[in-house]
Amino acid sequence: MQSFDFVFNLHLMKDILGITNELSQALQRKDQDIVNAMKLVGIGKQRLEIMRKNGWDSLLSKVSEFCLKHNIDAPNMDDMFLSRR
């Protein structure tokens, strides 16, 4: 639990589940109609798409800060990556 990979995945899931939880709560309201529900689904999709396109820097920043605060080794993203085959 004290690895960069674990922390990264935890923060990513927290952000994704935060968006989907808001959508889920709104869709479960008893007074929800189908037209409004479809709009809410569209908004949820837009928020996830924005996160996919523009959320990398903020996510990586949050993860890096967390790792620094808790003395977890984080890789330098500017380093050269060599794959093992």
Side-chain angles (χ1 to χ4, degrees):
M1 289 195 335
Q2 289 192 339
S3 71
F4 177 82
D5 291 343
F6 181 82
V7 172
F8 179 85
N9 286 316
L10 190 67
H11 277 84
L12 178 63
M13 292 307 299
K14 179 182 170 276
D15 289 351
I16 291 171
L17 291 174
I19 293 170
T20 56
N21 182 54
E22 289 176 19
L23 175 61
S24 175
Q25 295 298 316
L27 292 175
Q28 290 181 49
R29 287 191 2 229
K30 298 217 184 277
D31 62 340
Q32 196 63 261
D33 63 12
I34 190 69
V35 174
N36 196 40
M38 293 303 294
K39 287 180 185 176
L40 291 172
V41 169
I43 291 168
K45 285 175 58 177
Q46 285 176 343
R47 289 180 66 196
L48 289 170
E49 183 67 20
I50 289 168
M51 185 179 139
R52 185 178 74 85
K53 287 183 177 178
N54 303 321
W56 174 254
D57 290 333
S58 65
L59 176 64
L60 195 55
S61 176
K62 284 192 295 188
V63 171
S64 295
E65 287 174 20
F66 183 91
C67 287
L68 183 64
K69 180 179 178 183
H70 297 284
N71 297 322
I72 298 171
D73 289 334
N76 182 353
M77 295 300 171
D78 294 328
D79 282 350
M80 176 85 68
F81 176 75
L82 300 172
S83 65
R84 294 183 227 168
R85 290 187 179 214

